[in-house]
Structures are given as structure tokens and as C-alpha cells.
Amino acid sequence: MKSIQQFLLGVSAVSILVLLYAILQENLLLSRITAVLTALSFTIGMVCIPSLKNYQYTAWIITAVVAGMVYPAAFTHWGTIDLRNKWLILIIIQFVMFGMGIQMSIHDFSGLASTGKGVAIGLLCHFSIMPFMGWLLTKIFDFEPEIAAGIILIGSCSSGLASNVMVYLAKANLVLSVVVTAMATLVAPFLTPLIMKLLAGTLIEIHFINMMMEIIKIVIVPISAALLHDYLKMASPQGKKNVNVLLFISLIWLLALPFGLWHWFESSSLSSEVLQSLEVFSFLLAAIVVGVLYHQGAKLFPKLDKIMPYISMFGIIYFTTVTTAAGRENLMKVGFLLFISSVIHNASGYFFGYWLSRLFGLDKNSSRTIAFEVGLQNGGMASGLAGGMGKLGTVGLPAAVFSPWMNISGSILANYWRKKSVENEE
């Protein structure tokens, strides 16, 4: 395997020379082929370079962006299948969130009692600094309304599990990080639509209830399924019986939906809000079914839990590629400004997250943790919401640009703080 990786690293070196030649000769066909070949071969081969192997996932994201830019038509439709279809995007995002949820546990929430002050500071900073910085950047750079709304959207989303990884690498307060991520995820269905309504309501039409329901479907439902799997690992016999009762009720409900139950709801003159609530209720019941089935599968295949994060990574690469392809024309116009915005937005999160935490009296390790929790957003959630709006190529575009930079900057900062531990400073 290592010899193949070394060979591909050599291929990337040759192909980049060919790419430069093709650009100078204005050979569009050769430029496209070698651009993708360079990105792909280097991404696979870079693990041979010890200092770069931790950035391979980020390199896959960049490769996805290159492929979407160079061959947009290949990543918007496959035959009659629209890869931007909101239901397809929703299912993939749910897989991503489920894979992330597998890395969480019910025990994570037990740290709330010992980290209450830090959690409150983290949530306050996260849901104030990042949305406001996003809004400020839209005023400075004067983006068109839907792209501007996308910048505010990614700033208004909860933190993702990437922050937990960076905190672990930095040897900061991991317990605090996990609890802040969990709590930010739980409050996102209420705070994200509220912030979007306040800051982006004049840019695009924001339906508070619709967005809240979408976030529940995108984030809460798959994570609930993952936490049910975690609960079943240690559940008492009575607890398992209770889950089986819920499973039976869920199956009856879900099986009845396509055989007239949903049609009866629609023909009963119910309001759209009630229908949305019933839809989300059905998704939550489906989470019970998925959680139980996955738990049974994990008992048969013990390595399944370790595979799920890779499925999450594949899902993120998928919607990054599709988003880039869908928004290629917009990215050609404002790609550089979006990148500059991502750098400023991300750096502001680290800076204000750290120093405001210090101002509020947190120790250095906890302040470093809050810096990551504030600076790193859940790009998958932003993409899913944009897909639900049918605006993946505009509202979803900032998430495709911001996510790779967040991974790069987070890794750099984590490794820097790891080498400069608090104990050494003191």
C-alpha cells in the first residue's frame, strides 16, 4: 500500500507540471484532467509525508471542490437523478450526523454539572460572536443576498464534532468540549432559526417553524438514533423491553403512513404547522427503528461503529462536491472573497472565544476549548438547511468554502497549542 501511495505522490508531482504547461498553452481539456489528477493523486499519496498525513481529510474536501469546479455537470445529475434533490441531500446529511452521533454518548451529558459555567460561556459566545461576524462580513464585502444569508447561516449553526477532535489534539478540556457541542446541538433548533430571522430575514425569506423542523430532522433525529444505540449497550432488561414497545408502536405508525394514514392527515384540513409536526414525529419514530436495527447490526459486526465516521466523511465529501458544482458560477465570481471571509470569520471565533472566556474567568485550557467550540461550525447542518431551501448553490456555497479552511486552521492551532501546553507555560 505504501508503495502505491509513494507512486501516486510522484504522479502528483508530474501532473502538476503538466497542469502548469496546459494552463500556459490554454489547453482547457488537458487542464481539467490534470487538475483533478493532481488533487486526487496528491490526496492519496500525501500520507507518505508525516507532517501532512493528518490533513488528508481536508485534502479530500479540496479534491471534492476541484472536481465540482472542473466537471460541474457530472456532479449535478446522474442520468435522471438530480444529485441536488433535497430529499437525497437530507438522507445523506442524516447519515453524516448519525455517524457523528455514534461518537457521542449519553454519558457525555453527565459532565454538565461540573462544567456549567464553561458551557454557558461557550453557548453565549458561539451563538453571538459567529452570527454577528457573519452579518458584519456581508456588510463589508456586499455579497448578493442569498450568499450573504449563507454566511450568516453557517455562523448561526451549532459546533460540530470537529471541535472535539481539535480539543483532543490540543490537550485542552475535552469534557467541556463534548458537553458544549452536545448542548449547542440541542439548542440549535430554536436559536439558529431565531438568529437567521433577526439577521438574515431581509436577505431571504425565513420561516421560523420550517427551519426549526428541518434542523430537528437534520440533526436531532439521527443523533437520537445514535444515542439510542448507546443506551441499548448498557440498558437493563426492563429498559430493553420499553424500547421494544416503542419499536413496535413506531413500526405500526410508519407502516400505516403509505397505506392511507398520511393521505388522511392531508385531507383532514390540518394546518401546515400540524402536518409539519406530524412529519417530524414520524422522523423521530423512524429514529427509534434505525437505532434498534443499527444496534443489532453492531452486535453482529462489532467494527461497524468504527466504520460509521468514514461514512460521515464520505457524506461530507459528497455534498461538498455537489454544492460546488451547483454553485460553480457564483464561486467563480466571489470565491476569493468567500475564502477571505472564511479566514476572518474563523479567526474571529478563535480570538474572541479565547479572550472572552479568559475575561469571564475560565482557565487557559477551558478558554482554548471555547475557542475551538466558537470558531468551528457544523458545515453539514448549514448545507442540509440550504438543500432543504432548494438553494444549495447559493445559500449552501459558504459552507463548502468555510469547511475546508476550518479543518486546516483548526489542525494548525491544535498542534500549536499541543506543543505549547499550559503546564509548560506555567
Side-chain angles (χ1 to χ4, degrees):
M1 183 65 180
K2 188 174 181 180
S3 59
I4 295 174
Q5 291 167 342
Q6 290 173 336
F7 170 74
L8 288 172
L9 191 61
V11 169
S12 68
V14 174
S15 61
I16 197 169
L17 295 175
V18 177
L19 174 60
L20 292 172
Y21 169 79
I23 292 172
L24 291 172
Q25 295 297 313
E26 298 183 354
N27 188 326
L28 185 59
L29 177 61
L30 185 59
S31 297
R32 287 177 173 176
I33 294 172
T34 51
V36 175
L37 179 61
T38 300
L40 185 60
S41 57
F42 181 75
T43 297
I44 298 172
M46 67 185 291
V47 292
C48 297
I49 305 173
S51 60
L52 295 180
K53 64 181 181 180
N54 290 332
Y55 297 96
Q56 190 179 34
Y57 172 61
T58 303
W60 276 114
I61 296 291
I62 294 171
T63 300
V65 172
V66 171
M69 288 291 290
V70 173
Y71 294 107
F75 297 103
T76 52
H77 290 86
W78 282 358
T80 57
I81 301 173
D82 185 355
L83 299 181
R84 301 162 296 178
N85 180 276
K86 71 175 187 177
W87 286 103
L88 181 59
I89 293 292
L90 173 62
I91 291 169
I92 291 173
I93 295 291
Q94 285 179 325
F95 266 109
V96 170
M97 295 302 164
F98 181 75
M100 291 181 177
I102 291 297
Q103 308 307 304
M104 300 175 70
S105 115
I106 295 172
H107 178 71
D108 294 339
F109 293 89
S110 64
L112 184 60
S114 60
T115 58
K117 179 182 177 182
V119 172
I121 293 169
L123 293 177
L124 176 63
C125 291
H126 185 89
F127 287 105
S128 59
I129 294 169
M130 303 314 281
F132 175 74
M133 284 305 303
W135 174 83
L136 191 60
L137 287 168
T138 64
K139 298 300 179 182
I140 294 171
F141 293 114
D142 194 29
F143 292 104
E144 64 177 76
E146 290 190 356
I147 293 177
I151 294 173
I152 297 171
L153 174 62
I154 194 166
S156 305
C157 289
S158 62
S159 53
L161 289 180
S163 61
N164 303 153
V165 175
M166 301 309 173
V167 168
Y168 172 77
L169 291 175
K171 294 184 177 180
N173 190 336
L174 186 58
V175 173
L176 176 60
S177 175
V178 170
V179 178
V180 171
T181 299
M183 294 307 297
T185 300
L186 289 179
V187 301
F190 306 100
L191 289 184
T192 300
L194 176 62
I195 294 168
M196 284 296 291
K197 188 73 174 177
L198 293 173
L199 298 182
T202 58
L203 299 172
I204 59 172
E205 190 173 5
I206 303 293
H207 297 285
F208 183 91
I209 298 298
N210 289 3
M211 184 171 285
M212 183 174 71
M213 296 299 183
E214 281 295 313
I215 294 172
I216 292 173
K217 288 189 286 187
I218 290 169
V219 181
I220 303 300
V221 167
I223 288 180
S224 297
L227 291 177
L228 178 59
H229 161 60
D230 181 68
Y231 168 76
L232 289 171
K233 291 177 185 177
M234 303 297 292
S236 65
Q238 184 59 46
K240 291 180 180 179
K241 285 182 182 179
N242 293 338
V243 171
N244 287 333
V245 171
L246 289 174
L247 175 64
F248 178 75
I249 295 171
S250 301
L251 287 171
I252 295 297
W253 176 277
L254 294 172
L255 289 172
L257 286 177
F259 291 99
L261 181 59
W262 189 257
H263 176 72
W264 182 78
F265 288 147
E266 290 182 320
S267 61
S268 298
S269 302
L270 298 174
S271 67
S272 60
E273 290 78 11
V274 173
L275 286 174
Q276 282 180 319
S277 299
L278 288 170
E279 183 180 319
V280 169
F281 176 70
S282 301
F283 269 91
L284 290 169
L285 293 182
I288 295 173
V289 177
V290 171
V292 173
L293 292 179
Y294 179 84
H295 179 71
Q296 297 302 319
K299 289 200 295 187
L300 293 173
F301 306 100
K303 293 184 178 180
L304 194 57
D305 280 355
K306 294 182 179 179
I307 294 172
M308 283 307 298
Y310 294 100
I311 295 176
S312 289
M313 291 179 185
F314 171 77
I316 292 170
I317 291 168
Y318 170 87
F319 62 67
T320 298
T321 311
V322 173
T323 300
T324 304
R328 182 181 182 276
E329 297 306 316
N330 289 316
L331 202 54
M332 292 288 286
K333 297 175 186 175
V334 297
F336 178 73
L337 286 180
L338 271 178
F339 174 72
I340 296 299
S341 297
S342 73
V343 174
I344 297 171
H345 192 252
N346 185 228
S348 300
Y350 295 147
F351 179 84
F352 290 110
Y354 180 84
W355 287 109
L356 285 176
S357 298
R358 293 293 288 156
L359 182 66
F360 288 130
L362 293 186
D363 60 83
K364 288 185 179 180
N365 259 340
S366 296
S367 296
R368 290 177 176 183
T369 298
I370 299 303
F372 285 118
E373 290 299 322
V374 175
L376 300 174
Q377 269 63 50
N378 190 335
M381 178 178 161
S383 296
L385 289 172
M389 295 177 191
K391 300 179 184 296
L392 197 61
T394 51
V395 177
L397 201 57
V401 176
F402 281 42
S403 294
W405 176 250
M406 284 191 288
N407 281 281
I408 294 170
S409 66
S411 298
I412 293 170
L413 184 59
N415 283 299
Y416 171 76
W417 272 338
R418 183 184 182 90
K419 294 173 184 175
K420 194 176 180 182
S421 65
V422 171
E423 291 77 14
N424 289 340
E425 288 177 356
E426 293 174 350

